[in-house]
Amino acid sequence: MEMWNCFYTCLASLWLHRFYIYSVIAFGISLWIVVQLFTTKKKGEKSNGNLSSEVVEEKQANGYAALQAKEVYVAGVKIFYGSQTGTARRFAKGLAEAVISLNLPVEVISMGDYDPDDCLAEETTSRNICVFLVATYTDGQPTESAAWFCKWLEETANDFRFGKTYLKGLRYAVFGLGNSVYVDHYNTVGRNIDRWLWMLSASRIMTRAEGDCNVAQSKHGSIEADFEAWKTKFLSCLQALCRGEKKPCSGKCKKGKCKSQGKQSKESSDHDHGASEYENAEAELVETTSEEEADAEEVGGTNSVIDVEDLGNVMSHMKKAKRERELEEGHVGTSLSGETAGRKEAGEKREMITAALRDALTKQGYKLIGSHSGVKLCRWTKSMLRGRGGCYKHTFYGIESHRCMEATPSLACANKCVFCWRHHTNPVGTEWRWKMDQPEMILQEAIENHQNMIKQFKGVAGVKADRFEEAMTAKHCALSLVGEPIMYPQINRFLKLLHQHNISSFLVTNAQFPDEIRNLEPVTQLYVSVDASTKESLKRIDRPLFKDFWQRFLDSLKALSEKQQRTVYRLTLVKAWNVDELKAYADLVSLGKPDFIEVKGVTYCGESSASSLTMANVPWHEEVVRFVQELVEFIPDYEIACEHEHSNCLLIAHKKFKVDGEWCTWINYERFQELVREHERSGGSKTFTAADYTARTPRWALFGSSQRGFDPLDVRYQRKSKAKDISGC
């Protein structure tokens, strides 16, 4: 009985305390569930950080993996490039070599050879890093090789059928190549690709960087230096990714992400030029969005609908983010090195000629002077040294080609003409933003370099001794080597120095600087390039940098009509481009009233990725003659005066230079120097005109002569005439 009583008492006690028992059991079950969930999560994270056994076996079969399985965060790098002149391709190869040194597989791919529709989505799971090196071409368009890739990416980003997460998992970086003088289109293609990839949920591993061909505005002095600086950061980022590391956060916590351990300096370019807000992103090494993109997510995403009542909050949020970025930029600016900060405070300008540009121009035969000038020996100078006749200026104006120095005080130009015979290796710009050398130094070194190049012909077979001695003293200077000489701020002082050395001046301008033309001191002969007669064709052929290029062009022609000295229109005929605009050319002639019009067939300078010209665009001499004959019918005050068949060039002259039935297109150079000295002694009050220093044109130089512009002293013409005599005509 006692045992039963004890048992009954225990049961009664358990029943009375049953709630405590239930609580203990519930706590134990809950604890077990929590432990199980935590363990499962750890296993999941570990599996995500490792390759699956099948992938490891596949990598081993292809020779990409180590002998034993290990964690791999980056499988390789794919470098996509879109290039027109070859710069992006060169950068891609250089980057590939650097990636190979990290023992990573790398593939360099031209966008023109890649089908994004079939292949790009595969990169979302490939664990590759995709790098895009893209150049911006004419009017902000992609290069020919990148056109289809960009078109596909844009359509995909805006096509709801693909979805916002179509490229989620793709990791990428973008480096754009552009020129900031094209303000409205600077690095448009790189920015667009960056934006379209983000719209498809791809993750940038670092902020887009922008290289600038404009050395005056380039962050590091040249586009090559911009790329090298970005490449260093990219390789550092890549190594961190390979180790599975993430960058310290930026000190801004967004949506529960702690970012308080450090701050990364901005990589974005100084040339955003009104680009959208999202473009000023802070760099993050691992799959993040920019601050602006995070802002967009907080207000419901870029494509979400926002209630009108919430617009005020949204705008306040965006303004606050902008103010924070501006404060950060100020902070970054103060952290520059002492040398750089000192240079900016002093306002010191950069040199026009970078190291890479110096190498390229030197290979082309330039003798570079200081930081922005150059001189080169013309092939006609070499020809006349050997008694083989001179250039068309010798035929038209009587210069001695072996005594002509071809130079420029400014290698920069405001156009990128399709027929540029320097293949666009020279810099471009709309105003002078570089360091400036003094004109005395430029002229002295130009003469010295010219003489040194002449000396190399001493003792060369065929060189005439008397002409060699004469050539050591330059008598003419053709400021038409390359670039836009009139951009040089001290051009008037330079011209005066030329005349003080008894050197005549032939200055060529591209009709984009009307004020400089008006302010120009007397020149022996002033040229204006008239490459097209309509706004559309001028834009297509010259590809000018100025937005108001057409008005500048017209104003330059008006300014030319005001000059007292000899003026010339220089027309370059490009077949299928500008040979069908006779009436429009005649209207331009009436506007500028030039003394002479040179009409020359374009010279084909070889294949260039920057131009689509071919030999098919070069007109025959007979076609140039026909064009000139048709043109003079529209301009009754002008006639065809001279011809130089070898240069495929003809001269149209105003009838005022036909005195007593004889053409006087040649120049009395001694008389010109006398007139210039009188002008300077009078302080500019005593002026003179083109008619004051003319000379009679020899008959052999006239249009229609049997010599067709060949100098009778030209040994080649003498051989040709002798051959005709022997054949009995």
Side-chain angles (χ1 to χ4, degrees), residues 227-275:
F227 175 73
E228 288 299 322
W230 173 83
K231 185 173 74 172
T232 300
K233 294 179 181 179
F234 172 78
L235 294 175
S236 175
C237 166
L238 187 62
Q239 290 175 307
L241 285 173
C242 291
R243 294 191 298 266
E245 298 175 357
K246 292 188 177 182
K247 165 191 157 299
C249 62
S250 66
K252 291 182 178 181
C253 296
K254 291 251 182 205
K255 301 175 70 172
K257 298 178 183 178
C258 178
K259 299 184 177 182
S260 59
Q261 299 182 20
K263 189 177 289 292
Q264 178 82 0
S265 65
K266 288 180 179 291
E267 289 181 86
S268 56
S269 169
D270 294 333
H271 309 290
D272 282 336
H273 299 295

Side-chain angles (χ1 to χ4, degrees), residues 351-354 357-358 360-362 364 366-376 406-415 420 422 424-429 432 434-435 437 442 480-488 510:
E351 294 186 355
M352 181 188 295
I353 305 176
T354 64
L357 181 59
R358 185 176 295 275
L361 293 176
T362 302
Q364 295 178 30
Y366 287 83
K367 300 299 181 182
L368 299 179
I369 302 167
S371 63
H372 54 74
S373 308
V375 64
K376 189 178 182 183
E406 191 176 26
T408 181
S410 170
L411 291 164
C413 187
N415 291 343
C420 179
R422 303 304 182 191
H424 309 99
T425 51
N426 54 307
V428 292
W432 193 272
W434 304 278
K435 288 182 179 179
D437 300 325
I442 296 174
S480 59
L481 177 62
V482 69
E484 181 65 82
I486 208 169
M487 284 181 67
Y488 177 50
N510 288 318

